[in-house]
Amino acid sequence: MMMAMPRTLERPSVYYRLTLIEVASMCIGSASIVVLIASFIGAVTTVQTAYQLVSPFIPKYTIGNIVSASSLLELAPTVIAFILAGRIGSSIASQIGTMRVTEQIDALEVMGINPVGYLVIPKLLGGIISFPILVTFSAFLLHLGGAIAGNMTGLLSYDEFAYGVQIWFDPHQVTVMYTKSFIFGFLITTISAYHGYYTNGGALEVGQSATKAVVYSCIAMVIADFIVAQVML
Amino acid sequence: MSIEIRNISKKFGEKEVLKGISYTFEKGKVSMIIGASGSGKSVTLKCLVGLLKPDSGQILYDGIDFHQTNRQELKEIRQNIGMLFQGGALFDSMTVAENVAFPIKMFTKWSKAEIQKRVDFCLERVNLTHSPNAYPAEISGGMKKRVGIARAIALNPKYLFVDEPNSGLDPLTSSVIDKLIQELTIEFNMTTIVVSHDMNSVMNIGDSIMFVYQGRKEWEGTKHNILRPNNPHLEEFIFVSDLIKRE
């Protein structure tokens, strides 16, 4: 075995496996926070929408429609993405940053492995794949939380909520939601990976990179959010 | 399988860190780059492995210019390089065995059994068969260095680079690591380059030695004539401790 060492290019299956690991890690790792936040935001949106609709001429099912449209257009893709920027973005930046300051990235480079390809691409693909999954999940939970809150507080029944969701439902809102989720997934992973990759120094700088990753991801997201809304609506 | 550096220079901003260093590192020998902190020895090593590009000069791997060659040749050279980093640079998310298996998985199409056999061989070679499933955070500094060596030799490299192998280690463990580097160099007939400022290490394994002072090569020789260097800067470096006496 020592005599002949067949060298090949880096194996594509390794990258495929890494991407799957990233998708699983992002989805499973963020599931609990998404469940909690999405359910409660759905509930709060229902209660606050009902508070503002005081006229008896406005049917109660309008609340369901407003909650649904808000969820699909903004709450599911954007608000959840802000939360994911904190969880996933800081995790990516600190993970890659720690690898940088402990020479693990140098080790990859010396081995002849492209560190950007090995570390960033699977995370980028993982973000682009897992964000729409998490956003779909959160959109469902926003509706569910809203319906349960409306029913529990006596504001409107499940049927009224469901009717409101369906009556003026526009499939284009779903397209906007997924467009935003792809873009936000891309922005969070690339910005965070960039800040992690260019970390210079020690533990303090790793923390600073994680903070920068979250802040710049959020700024990029609000700008992208406005552009998508302007272009698609 | 020698490595030759020809007149390499490197600047960071206005600061000239390397000033025209030339040297030949021979196959089957442990060559040491020594010098005080900030003298430019680590920058020399980083230029040698391609982590930094010199501003001028050549680095030749068996006659091939490392920084001018095509991508394919560069990839081939890189895959023949093994490196032990100062802190080990082990991948935190992988176990000891996975760390050693990593380059094999990335660059060969071996079966699981073949990879396992090679990992076992490498770990046995560095006397670390008892904790293949431990994570880097769970092992000592000396063990990390040994895992780093096992990973470096996993693909049977032609060139081995070692950055400060004894930093943070007790004298006994340092001596074990030095001995291991020397044995592996002879066993695998590698061109080994060690960056160090540890004189014990120099006296133990320095087959050929280059002393770097303020970015310049000030002296070259072997462990046999380093105690009579006839160079004031090297004398100051060596005899700062009472443990090493002038001949």
Side-chain angles (χ1 to χ4, degrees):
Chain A
M1 198 152 72
M2 291 291 298
M3 296 300 287
M5 287 275 185
R7 304 285 171 96
T8 63
L9 288 175
E10 299 147 54
R11 294 171 65 178
S13 62
V14 173
Y15 293 91
Y16 176 70
R17 195 175 58 83
L18 282 172
T19 304
L20 287 183
I21 289 170
E22 289 298 337
V23 171
S25 156
M26 286 179 191
C27 288
I28 296 167
S30 310
S32 55
I33 189 87
V34 166
V35 169
L36 192 73
I37 303 277
S39 307
F40 276 93
I41 289 181
V44 170
T45 310
T46 299
V47 172
Q48 290 184 173
T49 307
Y51 168 74
Q52 290 176 71
L53 296 180
V54 288
S55 169
F57 297 108
I58 300 172
K60 284 182 177 176
Y61 62 73
T62 309
I63 297 169
N65 181 260
I66 292 172
V67 170
S68 177
S70 309
S71 298
L72 296 176
L73 288 175
E74 196 65 13
L75 298 175
T78 311
V79 176
I80 295 300
F82 279 119
I83 292 151
L84 295 178
R87 211 204 81 81
I88 294 172
S90 61
S91 160
I92 290 173
S94 54
Q95 193 184 335
I96 297 178
T98 304
M99 290 186 78
R100 166 62 76 193
V101 300
T102 56
E103 298 180 307
Q104 293 175 49
I105 290 180
D106 288 347
L108 286 172
E109 218 166 311
V110 170
M111 282 178 206
I113 296 163
N114 179 353
V116 175
Y118 183 78
L119 293 173
V120 180
I121 301 297
K123 286 179 174 35
L124 173 64
L125 292 174
I128 290 173
I129 296 167
S130 60
F131 267 62
I133 297 171
L134 287 167
V135 165
T136 307
F137 188 43
S138 65
F140 169 73
L141 289 165
L142 281 158
H143 283 80
L144 189 67
I148 292 171
N151 192 261
M152 281 176 66
T153 54
L155 292 169
L156 75 169
S157 68
Y158 287 121
D159 287 342
E160 284 173 313
F161 189 92
Y163 182 73
V165 169
Q166 291 168 54
I167 190 164
W168 292 302
F169 174 72
D170 180 1
H172 183 61
Q173 291 174 352
V174 177
T175 311
V176 174
M177 180 183 85
Y178 282 121
T179 306
K180 284 185 178 181
S181 69
F182 280 117
I183 291 171
F184 295 162
F186 174 81
L187 287 174
I188 290 172
T189 47
T190 46
I191 290 170
S192 306
Y194 173 84
H195 284 288
Y197 195 80
Y198 289 103
T199 302
N200 207 346
L204 181 68
E205 284 76 12
V206 172
Q208 287 171 347
S209 292
T211 307
K212 276 186 200 166
V214 176
V215 171
Y216 286 110
S217 296
C218 290
I219 293 169
M221 276 196 300
V222 289
I223 295 168
D225 191 28
F226 173 73
I227 294 168
V228 172
Q230 183 66 23
V231 170
M232 295 190 73
L233 296 175
Chain B
M1 301 298 162
S2 65
I3 301 172
E4 189 185 350
I5 52 176
R6 283 186 192 163
N7 208 24
I8 59 165
S9 300
K10 179 75 187 168
K11 269 186 180 179
F12 291 112
E14 286 302 303
K15 195 180 177 195
E16 199 171 6
V17 182
L18 298 181
K19 299 166 186 168
I21 293 182
S22 298
Y23 197 74
T24 301
F25 304 97
E26 289 172 44
K27 183 185 174 184
K29 285 185 178 177
V30 178
S31 303
M32 300 196 76
I33 304 172
I34 62 168
S37 300
S39 59
K41 55 189 190 303
S42 289
V43 174
T44 308
L45 189 76
K46 285 184 176 179
C47 287
L48 276 164
V49 296
L51 291 173
L52 290 173
K53 191 176 179 184
D55 297 328
S56 62
Q58 288 179 306
I59 295 171
L60 305 169
Y61 279 73
D62 299 315
I64 299 169
D65 191 335
F66 187 65
H67 289 283
Q68 298 296 329
T69 188
N70 62 49
R71 278 179 82 127
Q72 188 52 42
E73 273 186 332
L74 182 66
K75 194 149 194 147
E76 280 169 24
I77 292 172
R78 279 194 180 284
Q79 287 170 22
N80 277 306
I81 289 176
M83 182 160 177
L84 171 62
F85 286 83
Q86 194 171 348
L90 301 177
F91 302 120
D92 300 326
S93 57
M94 299 179 194
T95 64
V96 164
E98 285 167 348
N99 262 285
V100 179
F102 178 76
I104 310 173
K105 283 180 183 169
M106 291 301 283
F107 293 110
T108 71
K109 287 184 174 175
W110 291 2
S111 66
K112 277 187 179 175
E114 285 174 316
I115 293 171
Q116 189 58 50
K117 198 176 165 188
R118 180 67 183 166
V119 169
D120 290 344
F121 168 80
C122 292
L123 288 176
E124 199 181 313
R125 194 61 201 78
V126 298
N127 299 317
L128 250 181
T129 48
H130 52 283
S131 45
N133 296 320
Y135 282 90
E138 299 166 349
I139 59 177
S140 68
M143 286 165 82
K144 279 181 191 165
K145 299 266 183 183
R146 281 190 281 161
V147 178
I149 294 173
R151 186 178 68 181
I153 62 166
L155 283 175
N156 195 19
K158 293 176 186 170
Y159 318 102
L160 180 65
F161 296 90
V162 187
D163 189 11
E164 304 280 8
N166 305 321
S167 68
L169 300 182
D170 63 85
L172 191 65
T173 312
S174 293
S175 160
V176 170
I177 298 289
D178 285 343
K179 204 176 166 195
L180 193 56
I181 291 168
Q182 191 174 41
E183 284 173 4
L184 291 170
T185 301
I186 296 165
E187 189 178 326
F188 296 149
N189 202 18
M190 292 183 291
T191 306
T192 298
I193 299 169
V194 179
V195 163
S196 181
H197 52 229
D198 181 356
M199 279 310 293
N200 285 329
S201 193
V202 173
M203 298 310 291
N204 282 339
I205 60 171
D207 295 326
S208 82
I209 301 158
M210 170 170 71
F211 174 65
V212 182
Y213 180 78
Q214 291 185 352
R216 264 188 294 269
K217 184 183 77 178
E218 281 254 327
W219 183 89
E220 63 179 271
T222 69
K223 62 184 174 187
H224 304 296
N225 59 11
I226 197 169
L227 296 181
R228 284 171 272 111
N230 204 19
N231 177 292
H233 296 126
L234 181 55
E235 282 183 8
E236 190 185 17
F237 178 77
I238 298 171
F239 302 117
V240 70
S241 160
D242 289 339
L243 291 172
I244 296 173
K245 305 289 180 195
R246 290 168 201 272
E247 282 188 352

